[in-house]
Amino acid sequence: MTIMELDVMTVTGLIASVALLAGFALLTLGKLTAEHYTYQWLNVIGAGFLAYSAFVTEPINMGVFLTEVIWSLIGVYGIFKIWRKRRVRLHRHQALQRRPLRHRVRLGRRRPLRHLAGLPHLPAPQRRADGRGGPAEHPGLTGPGSVTDMDHDAPAPHPRHDPERRDRIIDAALDVIADDGVEGTSLRKIAARAGVPLGSLTYYFDGREDLITEAFLRFTDLSAAEFRAASAAADDLASARETVVSALTSESTVEERGVSLSIEIYALALRAPRYRAIFLRWVRRCREAMSRHFDWPTTLVLDSLYEGLLIHRHLQNHAHDEALIRLAVERITPPESYHGTGEPAGPPPEERFL
């Protein structure tokens, strides 16, 4: 066996080991499932390279070779199964959209309330006077919102005909996160807060993580847009300072909901790359708005003041006095720090935080 062959086998074995260990670790930690392409591809790559190592060994290790080939084929079948399942789901969805609305919802049969007959506090239901099937009215069960007032045959509105549903779900997700934190947030809580069926969440989002990601994108986009709009109206040093003070004392900054959501995205950004990307995007947009009036050193200090005040409000459960914040802003922004061009003060410095 030559040195080159030994090196190839070593590299092959390392690739196989890393792929299989990564797949097993991500599966154990709950980051992946058998329904993810990534997990199946890791199995195919790991088993395939192990099969290659067993094949080139002299003599051939036939037991390991056959085992890894079978394992690799199982991974290929898993990939095909995921692809077929998603393709069928897509075709069903497309076919559903092409059908008339009246055929999109399975209409349930109107069931008489015969199961209420045995309840001691209700009289037994009687046949309606007009001779049609179904229960007669029960005392306490009639009127708006009652059981007999519900139209069981009315189809539920399809998501396409409820364009505001997705926004309601995202807003409800932000409310739940603000109240219970990300760890205490579940799809069931979000659906209940939004007033939509639990299953309808999967129409818009791929799962809990996808929904939480969209929620934080909504929160940070609105926050950055609000600050950029206020900053654009400033045309001198005094109004630029006032913009910063307003941002530090505005309702969205002081209210418990906004503070809680900010703290949650900070915590997530420490360890989760997807949330770190959202956080950095948020910070860059806010800094860019401030740098249209102040130089970059001043912008970075003002941003740090903003982040620090948020944390203090969350932990100390009170807002700092506006006069104190105004004084701090005036000291941080001397006249020489204001350039007033309305354009960012050059390229941003390298970001070394997080």
Side-chain angles (χ1 to χ4, degrees):
M1 179 180 297
T2 65
I3 296 177
M4 182 60 69
E5 290 174 342
L6 179 61
D7 290 343
V8 171
M9 291 183 62
T10 301
V11 173
T12 301
L14 285 174
I15 294 175
S17 299
V18 170
L20 293 175
L21 285 175
F24 178 74
L26 292 173
L27 182 66
T28 303
L29 295 174
K31 302 298 183 181
L32 294 178
T33 67
E35 298 297 323
H36 283 86
Y37 276 121
T38 303
Y39 173 74
Q40 298 296 348
W41 273 115
L42 288 173
N43 276 309
V44 171
I45 294 172
F49 275 95
L50 280 181
Y52 173 79
S53 299
F55 182 77
V56 299
T57 303
E58 296 179 2
I60 297 176
N61 191 334
M62 190 57 65
V64 175
F65 174 73
L66 291 177
T67 300
E68 300 306 326
V69 168
I70 294 174
W71 191 343
S72 184
L73 291 176
I74 292 174
V76 172
Y77 173 73
I79 294 172
F80 170 74
K81 186 177 179 181
I82 296 173
W83 172 82
R84 185 178 61 181
K85 183 177 180 180
R86 295 187 179 185
R87 183 179 177 84
V88 169
R89 185 185 304 170
L90 176 62
H91 285 176
R92 287 179 178 174
H93 174 69
Q94 293 174 345
L96 186 62
Q97 302 308 314
R98 291 193 295 265
R99 300 170 72 182
L101 178 62
R102 63 180 181 274
H103 296 306
R104 292 182 187 173
V105 182
R106 294 182 179 179
L107 302 180
R109 294 180 59 189
R110 185 191 299 270
R111 296 190 301 172
L113 302 180
R114 291 174 184 150
H115 60 286
L116 298 177
L119 297 179
H121 60 285
L122 293 174
Q126 299 176 357
R127 194 170 185 83
R128 288 161 51 158
D130 58 5
R132 297 171 57 187
E137 294 184 349
H138 284 281
L141 291 177
T142 58
S146 65
V147 175
T148 55
D149 182 62
M150 295 172 60
D151 186 358
H152 296 277
D153 287 341
H158 192 272
R160 283 186 61 188
H161 301 276
D162 188 7
E164 298 180 356
R165 176 178 289 187
R166 188 177 189 275
D167 290 336
R168 292 204 313 272
I169 293 173
I170 293 178
D171 290 338
L174 288 172
D175 291 339
V176 174
I177 293 171
D179 292 342
D180 303 331
V182 172
E183 290 298 323
T185 298
S186 66
L187 293 179
R188 189 174 299 277
K189 288 183 180 180
I190 295 173
R193 184 71 65 93
V196 300
L198 178 61
S200 67
L201 270 61
T202 59
Y203 182 87
Y204 302 101
F205 309 98
D206 291 335
R208 177 178 176 274
E209 286 299 318
D210 184 38
L211 175 50
I212 292 176
T213 299
E214 289 292 331
F216 277 118
L217 281 172
R218 165 78 60 82
F219 169 69
T220 54
D221 284 350
L222 290 177
S223 174
E226 178 184 350
F227 185 74
R228 291 178 68 179
S231 180
D235 55 3
D236 56 17
L237 176 59
S239 59
R241 285 174 171 172
E242 190 62 31
T243 297
V244 177
V245 173
S246 298
L248 295 172
T249 58
S250 65
E251 182 179 351
S252 61
T253 306
V254 177
E255 66 168 349
E256 185 66 22
R257 180 179 185 269
V259 175
S260 297
L261 290 172
S262 299
I263 297 298
E264 288 291 330
I265 189 64
Y266 295 162
L268 291 172
L270 289 174
R271 297 179 178 85
R274 69 161 64 186
Y275 297 111
R276 182 177 302 180
I278 296 174
F279 173 73
L280 292 177
R281 178 171 172 264
W282 180 29
V283 170
R284 289 191 188 100
R285 295 173 68 183
C286 292
R287 287 181 175 180
E288 180 186 343
M290 284 188 286
S291 71
R292 294 180 181 274
H293 303 288
F294 302 103
D295 56 31
W296 274 111
T298 304
T299 295
L300 296 179
V301 175
L302 288 173
D303 183 56
S304 299
L305 175 64
Y306 179 86
E307 309 293 348
L309 285 175
L310 276 178
I311 296 175
H312 284 190
R313 289 191 181 107
H314 185 74
L315 297 179
Q316 299 178 8
N317 198 28
H318 72 276
H320 292 274
D321 183 72
E322 182 175 340
L324 177 62
I325 295 177
R326 190 178 302 276
L327 177 61
V329 171
E330 291 178 358
R331 291 182 176 180
I332 294 173
T333 57
E336 58 269 21
S337 68
Y338 177 77
H339 59 78
T341 62
E343 297 294 332
E350 183 181 2
E351 295 172 338
R352 299 184 178 276
F353 58 96
L354 290 184

